[in-house]
Amino acid sequence: MDFVFDYISVNTFWTILSIVHALLAVALLGALTHQAAAVFAPPRAGNTGGFVTHFRSVSGPRYATAVCVLWVLTFILGGWIYAKYRIYVRIPIEQEGFFKTLGAFELKEHLTTIGLGLLPFYWHLWKNARNAATDRARKWLTVVLAAICWYAFLTGHVVNNTRGFGL
Amino acid sequence: MSTGTKTATPPSSRFGTFALVFGICFAILYVVCDMAALPMFTYHPGTDRIDPGFARARPDEGPAMYWYGWIASAALGASILGGLAALLPENIRNKIPLALAWLVPVVLLPVLIYSLKFYWRWE
């Protein structure tokens, strides 16, 4: 990877990686939120409705593969950045004494990892969405993954605001 | 959401069983590996060195990272258990509660919060 640093600075490289990580997280958050809304509060039959009805009227199975791919890509980038975070972000935040911020970020790391392990079953459930015996598990697993995604997104945002880019 | 005609048969495919047991075991093993300090390897980001198993940070070489090692340990254990579960007869495979897939992470949440008690302090 060192050839990259002939063209851009080290700070720019990691900033680009962080922004791509955040953009992938935004896409994942949107997809999972749509899917969770569709499965948790599906629109009533015949309701043409407005924004909220359209928001939850998506076809859940069509989102499953995209959610898995986005989760894995976001996780890989996050895992790559994490090594730099450990030295250049966490240590300064420790020195500032923001321990609850760090704890919240550690919890994010744990929850997203557990979510990663659940993706194969999540994908299996959505690829067999016609099986009524799995409706309940599909619904709640999707809601749990969406909750993890929201927590991870907001925590990442707070940590980024705490430390800032390119320092 | 339209999913067409619904059926009511339990998910008995071997992949479905593997995925379910893998997800449950991965979550539990990950938390166990975290709390019992059982990483497959330790990464030292300051020097790019990898040590097998658990290794403490060395003086003047920066911190040690265990997260990657916990993931590797949990993934290995969960893959073995998931593979064994997939080999079970169909009537036994069908008895594994699907709800465990979402209940296990919910139950593990307070355990994880407790494991991070070092951080929840008022300065």
Side-chain angles (χ1 to χ4, degrees):
Chain A
M1 289 302 299
D2 287 352
F3 73 95
V4 174
F5 302 128
D6 292 338
Y7 304 97
I8 57 174
S9 70
V10 173
N11 269 351
T12 304
F13 175 77
W14 289 105
T15 300
I16 290 171
L17 236 58
S18 294
I19 290 172
V20 173
H21 174 62
L23 290 174
L24 287 168
V26 169
L28 175 62
L29 190 68
L32 256 175
T33 306
H34 267 296
Q35 195 184 41
V39 77
F40 192 71
R44 286 181 289 276
N47 185 353
T48 53
F51 171 76
V52 174
T53 301
H54 283 88
F55 185 86
R56 61 189 184 173
S57 295
V58 301
S59 171
R62 294 186 182 178
Y63 281 68
T65 303
V67 165
C68 292
V69 170
L70 285 168
W71 194 296
V72 170
L73 288 177
T74 309
F75 191 88
I76 289 171
L77 269 184
W80 189 3
I81 297 165
Y82 190 48
K84 292 295 171 190
Y85 158 88
R86 185 65 186 83
I87 296 176
Y88 298 107
V89 177
R90 179 168 154 166
I91 291 174
I93 294 177
E94 278 176 351
Q95 289 166 343
E96 293 290 327
F98 296 128
F99 290 103
K100 284 187 285 298
T101 305
L102 291 174
F105 193 81
E106 295 290 306
L107 187 60
K108 163 191 161 154
E109 154 204 323
H110 294 328
L111 292 176
T112 53
T113 304
I114 287 172
L116 181 77
L118 291 167
L119 289 181
F121 190 58
Y122 159 88
W123 184 84
H124 174 75
L125 288 176
W126 278 108
K127 285 299 150 189
N128 296 282
R130 292 182 179 182
N131 188 340
T134 63
D135 277 357
R136 189 177 162 85
R138 181 169 53 254
K139 171 183 170 181
W140 287 109
L141 183 55
T142 304
V143 170
V144 165
L145 288 176
I148 290 173
C149 189
W150 269 100
Y151 175 79
F153 183 82
L154 293 173
T155 306
H157 188 64
V158 168
V159 170
N160 182 55
N161 285 354
T162 304
R163 178 63 175 142
F165 278 123
L167 297 173
Chain B
M1 181 186 71
S2 172
T3 53
T5 308
K6 289 263 184 180
T7 62
T9 53
S12 59
S13 75
R14 292 194 188 280
F15 176 76
T17 305
F18 170 82
L20 172 60
V21 174
F22 176 87
I24 297 165
C25 294
F26 181 81
I28 294 170
L29 289 173
Y30 175 80
V31 174
V32 169
C33 290
D34 169 15
M35 296 187 77
L38 294 170
M40 187 180 289
F41 57 87
T42 302
Y43 176 57
H44 304 267
T47 53
D48 263 342
R49 197 181 66 251
I50 294 174
D51 287 329
F54 179 90
R56 293 195 182 283
R58 296 184 185 182
D60 303 323
E61 286 192 7
M65 294 180 70
Y66 308 109
W67 182 63
Y68 305 109
W70 294 332
I71 295 172
S73 297
L76 177 65
S79 297
I80 292 168
L81 292 169
L84 290 173
L87 296 174
L88 292 170
E90 187 173 357
N91 60 331
I92 297 176
R93 294 203 309 264
N94 288 341
K95 288 180 180 169
I96 303 173
L98 304 183
L100 288 176
W102 61 270
L103 272 175
V104 166
V106 171
V107 170
L108 288 175
L109 179 61
V111 179
L112 286 169
I113 291 172
Y114 175 77
S115 77
L116 296 167
K117 61 183 182 297
F118 166 80
Y119 296 101
W120 317 129
R121 52 176 147 161
W122 300 97
E123 294 276 321

